[in-house]
């Protein structure tokens, strides 16, 4: 069977990474979490007191940073496992500022395209179908209402013992979506040939089954 690229884009906390990992597992594909890459740079910038509005410093920092995936769940920054730290609230609240800079994005996209050359990949983000890999054989635009996205993210955070309120999570998600879809370079957009999947009333299994079915049709 032909090895294809599956691109999953969509707004914040739409469950893309959960679904993408399961699809990758079922198809024995690799998973590339592009959001984790922007989070990695954001974490390193915050740890080094670099202003998230300073495009040139962020771009230089990225030149001196190695970001590597180990399997589908683990990310190393400069040879250290930072998989947990990149999910912290402070990173979440700054990542959309770091990722709006064109110089940062151009470098990240270069890294992402290198990872794509391995073939047989599920990749998720905001600009995959429109910019990083417009030739992907299957493009999904995964959406859900703000409320249902916030409830899922709130429950995840509670399970991790992070103290927050549902209202705060709703506001964070709305603000991130606003920044991601209004930035000038490669904003969050549905590609014209992407298939929209509204997961508001779907279980994870239903979403995964649908994407795997669509993928198999394209592998023949
Ligand atoms: O999982 P969640 O929806 O919280 O977000 P994520 O996929 O980890 O992405 C974090 C942030 O990185 C997004 O809000 C965007 O600002 C940025 N991002 C991006 O600009 N382009 C991508 N391809 C992926 C993420």
């Amino acid at each position: 069977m032909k090895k294809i690229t599956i691109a999953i884009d969509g707004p914040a906390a739409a469950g893309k990474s959960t679904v993408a990992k399961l699809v990758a597992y079922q198809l024995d594909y690799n998973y590339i979490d592009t959001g984790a890459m922007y989070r990695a740079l954001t974490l390193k910038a915050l740890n080094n007191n670099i202003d998230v509005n300073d495009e040139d410093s962020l771009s230089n920092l990225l030149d001196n940073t190695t970001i590597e995936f180990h399997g589908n769940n683990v990310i190393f920054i400069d040879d250290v496992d930072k998989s947990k730290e990149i999910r912290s609230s402070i990173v979440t609240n700054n990542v959309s500022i770091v990722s709006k800079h064109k110089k940062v994005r151009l470098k990240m996209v270069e890294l992402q395209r290198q990872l794509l050359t391995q073939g047989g990949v599920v990749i998720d983000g905001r600009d995959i179908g429109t910019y990083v890999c417009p030739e992907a054989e299957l493009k999904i635009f995964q959406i859900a209402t703000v409320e249902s996205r916030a409830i899922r993210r709130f429950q995840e955070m509670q399970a991790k013992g992070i103290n927050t309120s549902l209202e705060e999570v709703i506001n964070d998600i709305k603000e991130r979506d606003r920044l991601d879809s209004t930035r000038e370079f490669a904003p969050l957009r549905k590609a014209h040939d992407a298939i929209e999947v509204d997961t508001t009333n779907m279980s994870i299994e239903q979403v995964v089954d649908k994407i795997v079915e669509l993928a198999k049709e394209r592998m023949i």
Side-chain angles (χ1 to χ4, degrees), residues 12-13 34-35 38-39 96 99 105 126-127 153 176 180 183:
T34 63
Y38 290 99
R39 286 173 177 274
S96 293
S99 67
R105 298 198 73 81
R126 302 292 187 284
D127 59 341
R153 186 52 56 95
R176 218 141 50 89
D180 292 343
R183 70 174 170 239

Side-chain angles (χ1 to χ4, degrees), residues 19 30 44 53 55 61 63 65 74 89 92 106 111 122 139 163 173 176 183 187 195 204 217:
V19 163
N30 287 318
K44 190 167 173 185
N53 289 295
E55 178 164 13
L61 185 71
D63 283 337
T65 303
V74 176
S89 301
T92 303
L106 288 174
L111 294 173
V122 185
K139 299 180 190 177
N163 188 22
I173 285 179
R176 218 141 50 89
R183 70 174 170 239
I195 298 168
I204 293 169
E217 288 167 8

Side-chain angles (χ1 to χ4, degrees), residues 121-133:
V121 169
V122 185
I123 176 167
D124 77 345
R126 302 292 187 284
D127 59 341
I128 310 302
T130 52
Y131 184 73
V132 179
C133 187

Side-chain angles (χ1 to χ4, degrees), residues 144-167:
T145 60
V146 173
E147 289 71 22
S148 70
R149 289 187 278 136
I151 289 169
R152 289 180 204 155
R153 186 52 56 95
F154 178 62
Q155 286 168 345
E156 264 172 37
M157 291 170 86
Q158 276 195 318
K160 286 187 198 160
I162 300 168
N163 188 22
T164 183
S165 68
L166 183 58
E167 204 189 345

